[in-house]
Amino acid sequence: MSHRYPESAVFYRTLDRELPLIVRGQGVWLYDEHGKDYLDACGGAYVANLGHGVGTVAEAVAEQIKKVAYVNGTAFTNEPVEALASELRTLSPRELDFAYFLSSGSEAVEAALKLARQHHVEAGRPNKHKIIARTPGYHGNTLLALSASAREHYKKMYGPWLVPVHLIGAPYPYRCDPGDPAMTGEALERAILEEGPDTVAAFIAEPIGGSSTGGSVPPAGYWQRIREICDRHDVLLVCDEVLTGAGRTGTWAAVEHFGVTPDIMTMGKGLSGGYVPLSAVLTSERVIAPIARGSRAFKHAQTFSHTPAICAAGLAAVRHIKAHGLVERARAMGEVLHAKLATLVDHPAGWSVGDVRGKGLLAGVELVADRATKAPFPRSAMIAERLTAAAQAEGLVLWSNVGHADGTNGDLVMVAPPFIITESEIDELVARLGRALAAIA
Ligand SMILES: Cc1ncc(COP(=O)(O)O)c(C=O)c1O
């Protein structure tokens, strides 16, 4: 049976190719209907952090569904939501003591930005409504989250529906000078002053770059400067940890590497390890206080927020991460991964590998036409897409990103395997990636 449009009844994300049908997953491996194995080197989309086939999470969800699957979060609370919020309180940056649960990263970003706005309105600052975000950067595909994202190929079509968001440069050490305002944080101060501090509600950014800058790590001092600027102008700092949170970079939240605490933090993807769709907005008493004193309700509600079944999966996943020391493992195996990926530079087919970077089990491999000048390939060469397709043929699942070099050109692939990956599986990952590079050379 064909798994392509229009033979299948599925409206696929891509309408131009046949998709393999995956029937089973175990550990870092996926298996298709013909028995071919795929090393899931990006946990799907940075989601399967625990690995595939963890029985305890599946059993916890099944048990909860048998007890009670759904209650409306306005009228009732439930055991898993209480327990999950308490667990997160022990893990998250200090002061982020309260958790609001949703189903996707985009929903968490929408809710986080709305929360920032409502905080200011109820604190008597109704003029504060503007959002500042970064380019390159990505926060989701619903309309407010997309407005705050710098993905032209997603935004172009929906431009008339998007709200204006002031985009400043993201720190991108491979392509920015150390003194660049994007690298020092100065770009944020300039943007706030340009917009008028009494009109700016929030600054949203990924603590360590996700796909958009290929795992770029900001320079020392960047996040402290950002925190100071936000404090000075009463702008809420929203750290989007949808991709980096839940241990991916070797600490529970990536922002912990930099010793600052945001006002609001989003999580998603790995929070449930992919066993159900689950995301969260974490925030502090200080942010909630004006709302608790004022209208006494967050003006945002969704049918599946705080529901028992999704929170049971999150609770089981978070307890599994803790019990198996998976955050520490992401840190240790991250070092192995980065050392082995660095060998691609000297691989016979590695002439196009310009940079390998990241933190913990988050790595970006940037491909360039000329290593000396860092000139990107022309977009028409479709290097990232071709490499991802060649890797899939080799049984290796990567995530690609394009356009980061200058808005149009730029090719990179992301490697972010489940935290349980072993050293020999990392060897296999790098070997398959080398063969894929050779196939497109
Ligand atoms: C940093 C970041 N924020 C938000 C999102 C949106 O999450 P979702 O696709 O679950 O809506 C993503 C998705 O890739 C992301 O990487």
Side-chain angles (χ1 to χ4, degrees), residues 12-28:
Y12 295 112
R13 289 196 205 181
T14 50
L15 304 178
D16 61 350
R17 72 192 76 144
E18 175 92 22
L19 293 178
L21 180 82
I22 296 297
V23 292
R24 191 168 69 83
Q26 191 60 50
V28 299

Side-chain angles (χ1 to χ4, degrees), residues 36 61 64 70 86 93 160 211 225 304 389 403:
K36 176 174 172 169
V61 179
Q64 184 58 48
Y70 179 84
S86 299
S211 308
R225 181 92 194 276
F304 286 103

Side-chain angles (χ1 to χ4, degrees), residues 202-386:
F203 171 60
I204 182 167
E206 300 162 79
I208 290 177
S211 308
S212 306
T213 59
S216 287
V217 180
Y222 174 85
W223 276 106
Q224 279 83 1
R225 181 92 194 276
I226 292 291
R227 181 69 270 184
E228 283 162 25
I229 295 167
C230 288
D231 287 344
R232 188 159 49 250
H233 299 294
D234 218 342
V235 168
L236 291 185
L237 174 55
V238 183
C239 278
D240 183 354
E241 297 254 11
V242 165
L243 188 155
T244 50
R248 168 60 57 197
T249 68
T251 48
W252 178 254
V255 72
E256 288 170 46
H257 291 292
F258 310 104
V260 304
T261 302
D263 300 297
I264 302 174
M265 181 173 124
T266 55
M267 300 185 76
K269 295 187 182 278
L271 182 55
S272 71
Y275 286 82
V276 300
L278 175 68
S279 64
V281 179
L282 306 182
T283 194
S284 64
E285 210 274 325
R286 185 181 83 81
V287 171
I288 298 174
I291 301 170
R293 281 196 304 268
S295 70
R296 298 166 70 186
F298 181 28
K299 298 285 181 290
H300 184 81
Q302 291 191 242
T303 302
F304 286 103
S305 72
H306 302 78
T307 52
I310 60 171
C311 292
L315 181 63
V318 169
R319 287 188 173 159
H320 184 89
I321 291 171
K322 277 171 101 173
H324 293 81
L326 291 187
V327 178
E328 297 72 21
R329 191 181 167 86
R331 191 179 317 146
M333 295 315 287
E335 282 177 22
V336 177
L337 177 72
H338 285 280
K340 298 203 180 217
L341 284 176
T343 65
L344 285 174
V345 173
D346 300 318
H347 187 279
W351 56 269
S352 61
V353 176
D355 192 32
V356 180
R357 63 209 172 219
K359 192 101 181 151
L361 282 176
L362 177 68
V365 179
E366 180 154 350
L367 304 162
V368 290
D370 183 333
R371 276 186 190 166
T373 63
K374 303 180 183 175
F377 288 100
R379 187 76 289 274
S380 55
M382 308 265 286
I383 292 294
E385 293 89 337
R386 284 173 51 213

Side-chain angles (χ1 to χ4, degrees), residues 46 103-107 109 138-141 206 240 242-243 269:
Y46 317 88
S103 306
S104 73
S106 302
E107 288 172 325
V109 167
Y138 182 66
H139 301 291
N141 248 330
E206 300 162 79
D240 183 354
V242 165
L243 188 155
K269 295 187 182 278

